Amino acid sequence: MTTMSTARIPPASSPCIARKPKASSNTGKLPRVYVKPGWLRKDLMGSNLRFSEFRSAKLPCSPLTVSAIASASELVKERIETKSELLVTREEGLELYEDMILGRSFEDMCAQMYYRGKMFGFVHLYNGQEAVSTGFIKMLKAHDSVCSTYRDHVHALSKGVPARAVMSELFGKTTGCCRGQGGSMHMFSKEHGVLGGFAFIGEGIPVALGAAFSSKYKQEVLKDEKANAVTVAFFGDGTCNNGQFFESLNMAALWKLPIIFVVENNLWAIGMSHIRATSVPDIWEKGPAFGMPGVHVDGMDVLKVREVAKEAVARARRGDGPTLVECETYRFRGHSLADPDELRNPAEKAHYAARDPIVSLKKYLIENNLANESDLKSIEKKIDEIIEEAVEFADASPLPQRGQLLENVFADPKGFGIGPDGRYRCEDPGFTAGTAQV
Amino acid sequence: MWGALRQKSGLTTLVSSLKHGQVLERFAPMASTPLRQLSTAAKEMTVRDALNSAIDEEMSADPKVFLMGEEVGEYQGAYKISKGLLQKFGPDRVLDTPITEAGFTGIGVGAAFYGLRPIVEFMTFNFAMQAIDQIINSAAKTYYMSAGQISVPIVFRGPNGAAAGVGAQHSQCYAAWYGSCPGLKVLTPYSAEDSRGLMKAAIRDPDPVIFLENELLYGESFPVSAECLDPSFCLPIGKAKIEREGKDVTITAFSKMVGYALQAAQELEKEGISAEVINLRSIRPLDRATINASVRKTSRLVTVEEGFPQHGIGAEICTSVVEESFEYLDAPVERITGADIPMPYAANLERLAVPQVEDIIRASKRACYRAVPMSAVA
């Protein structure tokens, strides 16, 4: 093996960068997209890296059928015909566009605010991965849940948490979605079904599994027909080497829980390349090993992600169990705002920058006459205003009061830190603001 | 306050030596009265049955309560605590899990986020170290991180502390570890009444509760009152119990050490030292009020625990007393703890590594300025 420290980018002349089959129609419409497991990854990684045996050294462009994916063939079928059928309606398309623009603008504003000192600590930005968040979360219903990692701002926004609440939380103000007590990495919203926000990788997956479990329990034991919520767990490529990931895959398949495991494989865990860290880099392949379908999808294309999401969510809601979806995506910025991002190859960054999901969707909408430039411009303007307003709101919001410090440790704090007179044990009797919900 | 006492040594089976006594919670008879049997102290119950009945009743009362852990179902419980529950409630509510502590603990936490009330059993709390990330970071801290939006009504239970000859990796006491973590409530029952009342309180509590049992106590029988057998019986979390009233020295203990402390108190009585024994019941929140009130009465303190000495429960109690009742102390505070070593296997070494009744007696005498030999007898 030669060095595996960076993923190899195929030369620009290689036709295999294209992720769609050669367009046979020349109507100007893009051919029907389809999800092709695996062959993208091969091109990306170059030929001197170890691969599963069935992925032989054929012409890189020949479509390869993967035996493991065949077991999940009811989930994703290879669409060989290029029917000129649109994947989204105008409304849906605009909704997707707006959500991705919201995510991108918000994260850009976060970077600005961080460098101005308004935000502090650890901030992990989602630029470049919007297609995954939008593609999945916009297929969910309001009562479904989302569980994320520290890169959770955009998941919270897509799920419906208002931008001003997220921005305030990042500023550490009391009007934040967690009253300033969570921070960038711990976005919780009971109302919108956002379960956080976990700093430890792999930690959120079993918790997401618990949410899925509660859905199944409510249906089967508590006989609540309406409890058909599904859970989507987002996590990265680094997490897929962690024990909790495998434990969760096992139990999800064993108990057929309504969960979708979404791997946002952006190839890098801080500075550790996925290829250097993983014996078998194809994460989607690990699904069938545990008895669930594993799918690989181009995570830079929101429409493809949406197609996969549609099937996976329907599968979970039907009661057919979990799905593992590996989204090949990329983060345009470093791991966090403190990361100098020196290890990644500029050619790799450029390659993915050219596949910006927002630009791709914009192109699709315009080319298919679903929207015109001015529609999209007005969306961008609207989002800009929302973000500006969110910043102003966060700026103007008060910091948490002193009395908030000891609150919300327990749901039932009686007996804890309470003196015989029934008040919090502290020198200052007015210490608690009494604003906690007890 | 007299509880029923059991003698036990090493690997021998339990030998009962029942002492009669009242079983009222709050009041104690005069310490030196002859043994009296009152009509309330009729039935006896093992700790195992107490736990089983408590879980059974809570699961019957609330369909959101479910039990999950290794071997809780078909095996009837690794220590038979969940005997009969699978047959009664079915596999949907009594779940046998694979050996994946981190995974199933996280599942419990996630289910608790959504209003279910899981009881997660760890075969011993030593195994819970594999899941401690989920316990601390997901369960304990979530209510705070979400500013009150998401509470976690979960109970983590299992045997804690030393058993008999199980070696270093199966014998650690985790009371101090969990007791230092905000967001958790940590309970340590001793008798059957404690077990029943505190388990019910834990299951009904909206916060994460660590329920530290003791394997060697499972088979011990204690008298239980009719009040205790009532399905709505509950003990308050955060309140210690004065097992035996006294006026010369305060001995605090929890879990199995309460039995040892009571035995020591009996021995001390013969030498004219009247010891007050406090059964802590709750490590977090610690009932500092009761402990300090007792020390202000007796002016001497001996803390007893089975765990490691550094940063242990005794350290916290001693500091609390020094901070709040310093002027009342007539003698330096005494800590009896397990030895500062991983638990050895050999039976005689193991006996040396955990507190014995003689250690408590010696410490109490030291606190009372009686001359005592300093070293233990092997």
Side-chain angles (χ1 to χ4, degrees):
Chain A
M1 304 277 183
T2 59
T3 84
M4 296 198 271
S5 55
T6 48
R8 297 259 234 95
I9 314 299
S13 57
S14 161
C16 295
I17 294 180
R19 60 198 175 283
K20 307 175 193 49
K22 295 275 193 232
S24 53
S25 71
N26 53 1
T27 60
K29 291 206 161 79
L30 291 173
R32 179 83 181 260
V33 296
Y34 68 104
V35 173
K36 201 50 163 158
W39 62 269
L40 273 171
R41 170 67 59 231
K42 176 184 195 308
D43 295 316
L44 213 49
M45 293 197 287
S47 57
N48 61 336
L49 295 167
R50 186 160 50 95
F51 245 93
S52 322
E53 290 85 78
F54 54 76
R55 197 99 43 110
S56 57
K58 293 195 182 63
L59 290 172
C61 277
S62 62
L64 302 165
T65 32
V66 175
S67 58
I69 202 64
S71 69
S73 56
E74 83 270 19
L75 174 61
V76 168
K77 294 186 182 46
E78 188 184 319
R79 293 174 238 254
I80 34 177
E81 222 3 80
T82 55
K83 280 177 60 181
S84 53
E85 191 182 286
L86 292 176
L87 288 165
V88 282
T89 62
R90 178 185 153 84
E91 291 74 34
E92 289 169 353
L94 291 177
E95 186 195 1
L96 297 178
Y97 190 76
E98 182 172 336
D99 195 52
M100 291 207 286
I101 290 284
L102 174 64
R104 179 69 61 90
S105 310
F106 189 92
E107 298 292 71
D108 284 339
M109 184 58 78
C110 279
Q112 268 193 59
M113 292 295 114
Y114 189 85
Y115 293 127
R116 279 194 216 166
K118 300 269 176 74
M119 241 178 254
F120 37 89
F122 288 131
V123 179
H124 307 86
L125 298 181
Y126 201 74
N127 298 48
Q129 300 182 196
E130 294 86 1
V132 180
S133 174
T134 301
F136 269 94
I137 298 181
K138 288 304 170 194
M139 292 306 316
L140 296 178
K141 300 207 171 81
H143 66 289
D144 292 327
S145 347
V146 163
C147 192
S148 179
T149 59
Y150 42 77
R151 208 179 295 280
D152 56 348
H153 307 167
V154 178
H155 296 135
L157 291 171
S158 291
K159 194 69 177 52
V161 182
R164 42 163 44 190
V166 182
M167 191 63 83
S168 295
E169 182 64 29
L170 293 168
F171 280 35
K173 299 294 175 79
T174 198
T175 47
C177 57
C178 298
R179 297 170 84 201
Q181 290 175 202
S184 165
M185 298 187 285
H186 304 296
M187 295 282 169
F188 290 88
S189 169
K190 184 170 180 171
E191 185 193 337
H192 299 282
V194 178
L195 297 181
F198 287 93
F200 282 49
I201 61 157
E203 189 181 12
I205 314 177
V207 174
L209 210 56
F213 177 89
S214 75
S215 182
K216 190 154 197 260
Y217 188 92
K218 284 177 183 168
Q219 272 189 314
E220 295 186 357
V221 179
L222 301 178
K223 309 283 183 234
D224 180 357
E225 294 295 318
K226 294 195 284 335
N228 62 351
V230 306
T231 308
V232 181
F234 291 97
F235 48 94
D237 44 283
T239 307
C240 296
N241 295 325
N242 187 273
Q244 290 182 87
F245 170 63
F246 297 108
E247 295 185 12
S248 304
L249 287 183
N250 178 44
M251 283 189 281
L254 186 67
W255 293 339
K256 273 189 140 189
L257 298 178
I259 187 169
I260 302 127
F261 297 104
V262 178
V263 184
E264 295 167 327
N265 184 351
N266 56 21
L267 293 179
W268 292 89
I270 307 187
M272 187 64 159
S273 147
H274 177 59
I275 320 295
R276 279 181 73 210
T278 317
S279 55
V280 179
D282 310 90
I283 300 169
W284 59 268
E285 266 187 45
K286 301 179 187 186
F290 287 92
M292 73 181 78
V295 188
H296 177 276
V297 66
D298 175 7
M300 303 305 274
D301 184 327
V302 66
L303 300 174
K304 285 186 188 153
V305 174
R306 213 175 126 83
E307 288 296 299
V308 172
K310 206 185 295 187
E311 303 229 24
V313 171
R315 194 182 128 80
R317 227 184 276 286
R318 274 197 307 269
D320 286 345
T323 314
L324 175 66
V325 182
E326 178 186 352
C327 301
E328 180 199 333
T329 181
Y330 203 74
R331 52 170 163 82
F332 292 159
R333 304 186 81 114
H335 164 73
S336 72
L337 288 173
D339 174 18
D341 195 17
E342 287 158 349
L343 290 175
R344 299 195 298 175
N345 189 328
E348 180 188 82
K349 295 190 210 180
H351 167 70
Y352 280 100
R355 292 166 58 186
D356 188 330
I358 293 178
V359 170
S360 307
L361 181 66
K362 183 169 180 174
K363 195 152 167 276
Y364 183 89
L365 292 174
I366 292 179
E367 283 181 4
N368 289 286
N369 294 319
L370 291 169
N372 54 32
E373 284 278 353
S374 68
D375 292 330
L376 303 179
K377 274 266 175 308
S378 68
I379 289 181
E380 286 163 26
K381 189 159 174 305
K382 173 175 156 204
I383 295 295
D384 276 340
E385 281 166 20
I386 291 177
I387 305 285
E388 289 285 341
E389 194 272 325
V391 173
E392 277 162 22
F393 174 77
D395 248 341
S397 295
L399 288 168
Q401 289 182 54
R402 254 187 102 200
Q404 199 183 305
L405 182 70
L406 296 183
E407 291 176 351
N408 292 132
V409 179
F410 286 130
D412 175 8
K414 289 192 281 295
F416 167 68
I418 307 269
D421 59 354
R423 303 198 295 183
Y424 277 108
R425 289 166 43 93
C426 210
E427 290 153 30
D428 174 4
F431 197 88
T432 174
T435 52
Q437 302 295 317
V438 168
Chain B
M1 192 63 181
W2 296 67
L5 300 177
R6 284 275 190 239
Q7 297 283 344
K8 190 175 197 314
S9 63
L11 298 160
T12 60
T13 51
L14 300 169
V15 170
S16 68
S17 55
L18 179 67
K19 304 267 189 249
H20 304 297
Q22 290 193 42
V23 204
L24 291 175
E25 272 181 70
R26 274 166 258 300
F27 308 107
M30 284 58 68
S32 56
T33 48
L35 314 164
R36 256 199 304 216
Q37 177 147 24
L38 300 186
S39 55
T40 47
K43 194 166 184 293
E44 284 230 327
M45 197 182 221
T46 59
V47 170
R48 179 178 283 121
D49 290 337
L51 291 167
N52 184 282
S53 63
I55 297 173
D56 191 332
E57 284 162 19
E58 291 303 305
M59 283 180 75
S60 304
D62 184 353
K64 298 202 290 293
V65 180
F66 66 94
L67 176 65
M68 111 166 123
E70 294 156 10
E71 311 293 6
V72 295
E74 295 198 0
Y75 196 77
Q76 307 293 306
Y79 296 99
K80 306 293 180 256
I81 305 297
S82 54
K83 188 172 175 150
L85 295 182
L86 175 67
Q87 283 68 31
K88 184 167 175 186
F89 296 104
D92 285 334
R93 296 187 66 195
V94 179
L95 295 125
D96 278 323
T97 60
I99 308 177
T100 51
E101 272 77 12
F104 69 72
T105 305
I107 290 186
V109 172
F113 278 16
Y114 276 85
L116 299 184
R117 304 189 89 94
I119 306 171
V120 175
E121 171 171 318
F122 295 113
M123 204 179 276
T124 76
F125 265 92
N126 299 277
F127 305 158
M129 287 200 285
Q130 297 213 330
I132 203 162
D133 170 37
Q134 294 290 346
I135 297 173
I136 308 289
N137 279 327
S138 303
K141 296 182 183 170
T142 293
Y143 194 71
Y144 190 84
M145 287 198 294
S146 70
Q149 294 175 68
I150 300 178
S151 80
V152 192
I154 191 169
V155 176
F156 300 104
R157 54 158 292 264
N160 174 59
V166 291
Q169 293 187 353
H170 283 73
S171 305
Q172 188 163 339
C173 175
Y174 291 89
W177 283 27
Y178 292 121
S180 71
C181 183
L184 290 177
K185 296 180 181 172
V186 181
L187 302 177
T188 49
Y190 161 63
S191 62
E193 182 195 350
D194 287 355
S195 302
R196 247 183 85 79
L198 292 177
M199 176 58 83
K200 281 170 167 292
I203 295 173
R204 294 178 200 176
D205 196 276
D207 288 306
V209 179
I210 305 278
F211 199 84
L212 301 173
E213 303 157 5
N214 188 293
E215 193 214 323
L216 298 174
L217 284 177
Y218 282 154
E220 292 211 10
S221 273
F222 296 87
V224 282
S225 62
E227 182 198 19
C228 173
L229 293 170
D230 187 86
S232 61
F233 175 70
C234 219
L235 286 175
I237 291 180
K239 286 266 159 285
K241 177 182 178 192
I242 299 185
E243 293 278 353
R244 180 189 208 275
E245 283 215 354
K247 53 180 178 49
D248 291 330
V249 60
T250 298
I251 306 178
T252 68
F254 62 92
S255 190
K256 190 155 93 130
M257 292 292 124
V258 176
Y260 285 31
L262 288 169
Q263 280 186 290
Q266 244 193 311
E267 293 296 320
L268 288 166
E269 189 64 40
K270 297 180 191 146
E271 310 204 19
I273 299 178
S274 153
E276 178 150 296
V277 175
I278 300 182
N279 172 4
L280 289 174
R281 279 183 171 172
S282 170
I283 300 294
R284 189 174 183 93
L286 196 57
D287 192 352
R288 296 167 210 271
T290 301
I291 298 168
N292 278 286
S294 172
V295 171
R296 289 178 186 210
K297 186 172 75 169
T298 64
S299 310
R300 293 160 220 279
L301 175 69
V302 174
T303 69
V304 187
E305 65 186 298
E306 212 177 36
F308 300 138
Q310 189 165 340
H311 310 299
I313 306 295
E316 178 61 31
I317 296 177
C318 289
T319 307
S320 172
V321 163
V322 164
E323 281 174 352
E324 297 186 21
S325 313
F326 183 67
E327 306 83 26
Y328 295 82
L329 283 171
D330 283 349
V333 292
E334 298 273 349
R335 277 193 291 183
I336 305 293
T337 70
D340 200 10
I341 54 168
M343 183 66 70
Y345 168 68
N348 65 327
L349 291 182
E350 191 180 27
R351 219 176 305 125
L352 285 174
V354 285
Q356 302 297 331
V357 177
E358 298 76 35
D359 298 312
I360 306 175
I361 294 173
R362 264 203 308 279
S364 308
K365 285 186 180 167
R366 268 200 308 272
C368 294
Y369 294 120
R370 306 284 185 87
V372 285
M374 275 310 287
S375 60
V377 179

